[in-house]
Amino acid sequence: MRLPSLNAMRAFEAFARTGSVKAASDELAVSPTVVSRHLRNLQLDLDVALVEPRGRGLLLTAAGEAFHTQIRRAFEIMRQANDDIRPDRRRSLTLWCIPGIANHRLLPALPILQSRLGNYEIVLQPTLSRPDLMRGEADAEVICINGLEAHADVRTELIAHPLVHAVASPSFQSRFPEVRTAADFLKLPLIHEASTLYWEQWLEYSGVTDFPMLRGPRLWHAHLTIEAARLGQGVALANTLLVEDDLKSGRLVDLSPHPVRLGGYYFLAAAKRWGDAELVVLRRWLKETLQSGAPKRASDAAIHVE
């Protein structure tokens, strides 16, 4: 029996998986008009209504959903066959991540991720810049932010929500033993990252709403502010994931009068790729690494992607 056009079925599969003509056209690098034409021709060829108008867009009919379930498996088999026939081809997985967490947490656990991803080449890019996920500048990113705007084409998940500590060296603490409340920090030399915003948020959260313009060195990166605190140059703000070892060893002490949480670490990826096997593995590894109970050996891997 003659099969419908492969291009038409490919367009339908992309539309059904991404949920829109525009997203399918972006993935296939064709115009939305071409995708719409493929959908019409496929329905005419099969003599079955696969999609129906709904508002300004299209939705799958019951027949369309059933058809997509079948051909999705077929396309997955073809993709796998394509990868298997070229065993030497190395696929890459690119993660953009803020520098502090990349250095302190992700780098030591990178062999675990590599063991799970098999033939993938991992690209970890520590940066304060944000990638264009829809253009493929990165497969995913991890950011630390207090409040995240929603985007229709990007899915997000909070993967860690650590405490924020006001840290200083023991020698610094001995020079300022009278620090008891959040307002007392206004008398101390404060160390900032790119701006004073972090300290302003911490003070406001701690109940200090009336304070002057904050001053102090701006060092841009968290690892530099933490090092300056270790050297006794002032008080820095840092979350548990970055200073846990320093607090346990006594290199730094926590001067915070009470626990504070400001934002958290978010995982972001294109919505159309959220369920891709390699991103599922990456997301699980990030949760394990940034939360308690992370595996310490590559042999602890629970999921493996070839």
Side-chain angles (χ1 to χ4, degrees):
M1 185 175 182
R2 185 184 65 83
L3 289 174
S5 161
L6 183 60
N7 285 335
M9 288 196 291
R10 187 176 175 217
F12 171 78
E13 192 278 333
F15 163 78
R17 176 166 38 81
T18 62
S20 76
V21 171
K22 177 64 167 60
S25 69
D26 289 341
E27 178 177 313
L28 300 175
V30 298
S31 71
T33 302
V34 171
V35 173
S36 297
R37 185 171 66 247
H38 281 316
L39 295 179
R40 287 195 304 271
N41 291 341
L42 182 60
Q43 293 181 108
L44 289 172
D45 201 347
L46 296 174
D47 195 23
V48 175
L50 301 174
V51 299
E52 60 185 1
R54 184 69 58 86
R56 296 184 177 181
L58 296 173
L59 285 181
L60 292 176
T61 63
E65 291 178 356
F67 186 61
H68 177 245
T69 299
Q70 296 291 333
I71 69 166
R72 179 181 60 192
R73 297 196 195 109
F75 276 99
E76 288 173 353
I77 291 171
M78 286 190 286
R79 292 187 188 103
Q80 186 62 55
N82 183 64
D83 290 338
D84 291 345
I85 202 66
R86 295 185 291 179
D88 294 330
R89 174 175 174 258
R90 289 185 62 82
R91 295 164 291 182
S92 66
L93 182 68
T94 301
L95 173 67
W96 286 27
C97 182
I98 51 178
I101 206 69
N103 182 50
H104 285 273
R105 286 282 179 157
L106 301 190
L107 186 60
L110 205 59
I112 296 173
L113 178 62
Q114 187 66 75
S115 73
R116 296 182 180 185
L117 289 176
N119 199 40
Y120 276 82
E121 182 177 75
I122 300 170
V123 181
L124 176 61
Q125 183 164 333
T127 178
L128 295 177
S129 300
R130 301 287 305 279
D132 188 333
L133 295 171
M134 303 312 299
R135 290 177 175 263
E137 288 184 345
D139 295 293
E141 67 170 323
V142 173
I143 60 173
C144 185
I145 194 168
N146 186 12
L148 189 63
E149 293 183 5
H151 192 289
D153 296 323
V154 176
R155 284 191 60 177
T156 67
E157 182 176 343
L158 178 65
I159 55 177
H161 192 207
L163 290 171
V164 176
H165 309 275
V167 297
S169 68
S171 62
F172 182 92
Q173 183 186 36
S174 67
R175 302 201 312 269
F176 298 93
E178 70 280 5
V179 176
R180 295 289 184 272
T181 69
D184 293 333
F185 284 84
L186 296 175
K187 308 171 188 176
L188 305 180
L190 304 180
I191 304 170
H192 305 280
E193 294 184 24
S195 72
T196 61
L197 180 61
Y198 205 14
W199 268 109
E200 291 169 4
Q201 292 175 338
W202 186 89
L203 289 166
E204 290 175 354
Y205 186 95
S206 301
V208 182
T209 56
D210 184 17
F211 49 84
M213 181 180 296
L214 301 181
R215 299 188 180 278
R218 301 183 187 184
L219 306 183
W220 282 88
H221 294 285
H223 67 277
L224 290 180
T225 65
I226 294 169
E227 181 61 23
R230 290 193 195 105
L231 295 173
Q233 296 177 6
V235 187
L237 291 178
N239 67 62
T240 304
L241 296 177
L242 300 180
V243 294
E244 184 177 21
D245 291 342
D246 286 309
L247 293 175
K248 287 180 179 178
S249 68
R251 289 189 297 268
L252 290 172
V253 292
D254 185 6
L255 304 182
S256 307
H258 51 76
V260 172
R261 295 184 193 272
L262 297 175
Y265 289 92
Y266 288 84
F267 176 87
L268 291 81
K272 65 184 179 182
R273 296 196 53 206
W274 192 259
D276 287 2
E278 65 273 18
L279 292 185
V280 172
V281 171
L282 175 62
R283 196 158 61 247
R284 180 173 296 186
W285 171 78
L286 286 167
K287 289 179 184 178
E288 293 173 350
T289 304
L290 300 185
Q291 298 173 8
S292 60
K296 301 301 181 184
R297 304 180 305 277
S299 59
D300 292 333
I303 294 180
H304 188 80
V305 175
E306 292 293 347

